[in-house]
Amino acid sequence: RSEEAKAAFRRRWLGRYLTHHLEHAFLARDAGGQVLGYIIGAPDDPSRDRLFADLAFYRDFAPLCRAFPAQLHINVAADARDRGVGAALIEHFAAHMASCGASGLHAVTAQASRNRSFYARHGFVQEGSCLWNDHVVVFLGRRLGREGAPDV
């Protein structure tokens, strides 16, 4: 991919959170301070937020967003995968979103994406699917406990 395409991807999937929801961002670092990964998102239903209007799949997933309003974007460095970094980020974020009052957490990904097994290992269940940009995308939801602890 070109640098321009990479920058557009970052703006679309990360930039809106950095600009509007930075208080919900968490980093994983090693002992030397090197960033191993991050997670960021928002506790509110994206189907009702103009900030996410460009993501048409949220119109299809609106009923699911009411049950699983909190959304996330996660990325772990390739050399830090399979070391528990993603798991720690997900668990911390789930507890944080529960403390913000969210009843559930969700991720939307391509049906054919390899990250689906990662989400499944961390309590996410496929709740729905739709066609978006000629690809099937799936809505993966995880219920959150009322006292800040995730239900798994």
Side-chain angles (χ1 to χ4, degrees):
R1 291 202 284 191
S2 72
E3 287 304 312
E4 186 177 311
K6 288 179 186 177
F9 181 89
R10 280 191 298 274
R11 276 191 306 277
R12 181 170 219 185
W13 300 110
L14 177 59
R16 70 183 88 219
Y17 292 115
L18 290 173
T19 302
H20 300 281
H21 296 287
L22 191 56
E23 70 276 18
H24 304 296
F26 302 95
L27 295 175
R29 297 178 188 259
D30 67 13
Q34 179 73 31
V35 174
L36 302 175
Y38 66 85
I39 193 167
I40 191 168
D44 304 316
D45 178 347
S47 72
R48 298 176 181 207
D49 188 338
R50 287 189 350 245
L51 184 62
F52 300 94
D54 63 309
L55 302 175
F57 55 74
Y58 277 128
R59 286 191 290 278
D60 291 325
F61 294 144
L64 294 171
C65 288
R66 288 191 253 309
F68 304 94
Q71 75 252 227
L72 67 91
H73 173 75
I74 185 171
N75 199 348
V76 176
D79 61 348
R81 293 179 186 153
D82 299 319
R83 294 179 22 205
V85 173
L89 285 168
I90 288 283
E91 295 312 314
H92 184 81
F93 192 77
H96 172 71
M97 287 293 115
S99 74
C100 291
S103 58
L105 180 61
H106 78 266
V108 176
T109 192
Q111 183 176 34
S113 181
R114 64 183 168 88
N115 66 5
R116 291 183 65 199
S117 63
F118 167 80
Y119 288 115
R121 286 193 308 274
H122 299 292
F124 289 79
V125 174
Q126 182 174 330
E127 300 288 342
S129 64
C130 71
L131 190 62
W132 182 63
N133 289 346
D134 298 323
H135 298 283
V136 176
V137 293
V138 294
F139 184 102
L140 307 173
R142 174 177 163 173
R143 298 204 184 282
L144 299 176
R146 293 182 185 257
E147 287 135 23
D151 288 338
V152 179

